Amino acid sequence: MDLKKYLGEKKKLVEESMEALMYAPRGLQEDHARHIEAMGYSLFAGGKRIRPILCLAACSAVGGVEDNAIPAAVSLECIHTYSLIHDDLPAMDDDDLRRGKPTNHTIYGEAGAILAGDGLLTLAFELLARNSKLEAAEQLQIIRLIAEGSGSMGMVGGQAIDIACEGKKIDFETLKQIHRRKTGALLTAAVQAGAVVGGASEAQFQALTDYGNEIGLAFQIVDDLLNVEGTTEELGKAAGSDAERQKSTYPAFFGIEETRRKAEEAVARALASLETFDRKAEPLREIAHYIRKRKN
């Protein structure tokens, strides 16, 4: 399959859906409108839209109707964007650049950025709750999965551990926990949500969960590599920041070549989990390869 064409088409679909579902600032009081503008500033700042695309691809892999997964897909991008806004704050990673543009707080101030993130997070669950194309039980399951993947036992918990460990010597098990929670958990939730929308069997759901876990790990391992080897221009954010903040990473533990091997092993395990799926899962297979080879 032509992955570049597929990703381009799905990204366009996701972004058109985001525009349709995002609050419009028209007619609002000025300060309220600026808050909505701040949400949109980061949501529409670009990006690969991997999480929503994974959701759509997982839905299709089990024979589901892709259109029914759109609210979940958009909600995942809202959550991901909120996490980036908050990650960039002075109290967190203190970054001035994201996706090649000034970070939210440098434009809207710290309070404005915090509220923009809060707004996107809560919008995500509003979208999930008003998806009328799903049964109530399916809606509740998806809400639970995404909440778990993005909350204190997932992404937020991973970020908390990551910040607490800056400048400290940690063991490899702690590093794996950071990676699986901070990055991997929401990627896994994206795949799981698509599986539920598509009506996956129990065996299919477990296989896709395994796939999500492995590509989530591979994604963060490659992020570690890119932070060392990439440039600020390529990444759209500051390169070399992990070393400056004395963060433990895969390259710090294993070196560059062994880290590459571990990323390849995670992708291989992800592909193995899809062995029982037919050609409808080909986008998921190609995305796994793409994650290993990506440059930003």
Side-chain angles (χ1 to χ4, degrees):
M1 65 170 288
D2 185 339
L3 181 65
K4 183 176 180 180
K5 180 181 178 183
Y6 176 86
L7 292 177
E9 289 174 350
K10 298 311 174 187
K11 179 178 177 180
K12 183 173 183 288
L13 172 62
V14 168
E15 292 183 343
E16 288 174 348
S17 302
M18 283 162 42
E19 289 176 3
L21 294 169
M22 177 64 186
Y23 300 128
R26 297 183 299 276
L28 298 178
Q29 189 268 345
E30 182 179 351
D31 292 332
H32 191 184
R34 185 164 172 78
H35 163 64
I36 302 299
E37 177 188 302
M39 292 168 63
Y41 173 81
S42 293
L43 188 62
F44 296 106
K48 298 176 284 294
R49 315 302 189 191
I50 285 294
R51 289 153 191 83
I53 292 173
L54 281 169
C55 180
L56 299 178
C59 177
S60 297
V62 296
V65 179
E66 184 181 83
D67 189 55
N68 292 349
I70 288 292
V74 173
S75 77
L76 287 156
E77 192 63 19
C78 288
I79 292 171
H80 176 55
T81 302
Y82 120 78
S83 76
L84 300 182
I85 294 173
H86 283 194
D87 251 5
D88 292 336
L89 288 166
M92 300 275 277
D93 286 348
D94 194 15
D95 282 320
D96 295 327
L97 197 66
R98 172 69 69 176
R99 292 172 170 168
K101 297 176 66 175
T103 47
N104 197 290
H105 69 272
T106 64
I107 303 295
Y108 297 96
E110 287 185 51
I114 292 168
L115 291 170
D118 292 346
L120 286 167
L121 175 59
T122 47
L123 172 61
F125 289 97
E126 178 185 335
L127 295 176
L128 291 171
R130 56 181 168 94
N131 184 359
S132 60
K133 295 178 180 179
L134 300 181
E135 297 293 330
E138 294 171 328
Q139 283 180 295
L140 286 173
Q141 186 179 3
I142 291 166
I143 288 169
R144 178 180 62 79
L145 289 167
I146 292 178
E148 288 175 351
S150 59
S152 295
M153 299 308 291
M155 179 184 70
V156 172
Q159 289 171 323
I161 301 168
D162 191 28
I163 289 172
C165 290
E166 283 186 15
K168 297 178 182 177
K169 187 174 179 60
I170 63 173
D171 58 29
F172 180 56
E173 187 58 38
T174 301
L175 178 63
K176 286 197 295 184
Q177 284 295 315
I178 292 171
H179 280 18
R180 287 199 179 276
R181 295 184 190 279
K182 182 178 179 181
T183 301
L186 191 59
L187 285 162
T188 300
V191 178
Q192 290 175 322
V196 173
V197 174
S201 68
E202 187 174 333
Q204 287 174 323
F205 182 85
Q206 185 56 57
L208 288 171
T209 298
D210 294 341
Y211 167 87
N213 287 336
E214 296 301 339
I215 62 161
L217 178 60
F219 195 99
Q220 185 57 52
I221 293 173
V222 172
D223 253 9
D224 286 357
L225 279 170
L226 292 175
N227 197 272
V228 174
E229 298 184 313
T231 66
T232 298
E233 290 72 27
E234 289 172 329
L235 301 178
K237 58 184 179 180
S241 57
D242 288 345
E244 288 179 11
R245 297 189 184 101
Q246 297 181 304
K247 287 192 175 187
S248 294
T249 63
Y250 266 69
F253 267 90
F254 300 107
I256 297 296
E257 292 308 316
E258 181 65 9
T259 296
R260 282 203 186 97
R261 190 177 69 81
K262 289 189 176 298
E264 290 169 359
E265 289 173 349
V267 168
R269 291 192 297 269
L271 295 172
S273 71
L274 299 178
E275 285 180 353
T276 60
F277 288 79
D278 61 18
R279 290 186 59 81
K280 291 193 291 292
E282 202 60 25
L284 292 176
R285 296 185 179 98
E286 291 299 321
I287 289 170
H289 289 300
Y290 163 77
I291 285 171
R292 180 175 58 84
K293 297 174 183 177
R294 68 192 178 92
K295 300 298 181 183
N296 59 26

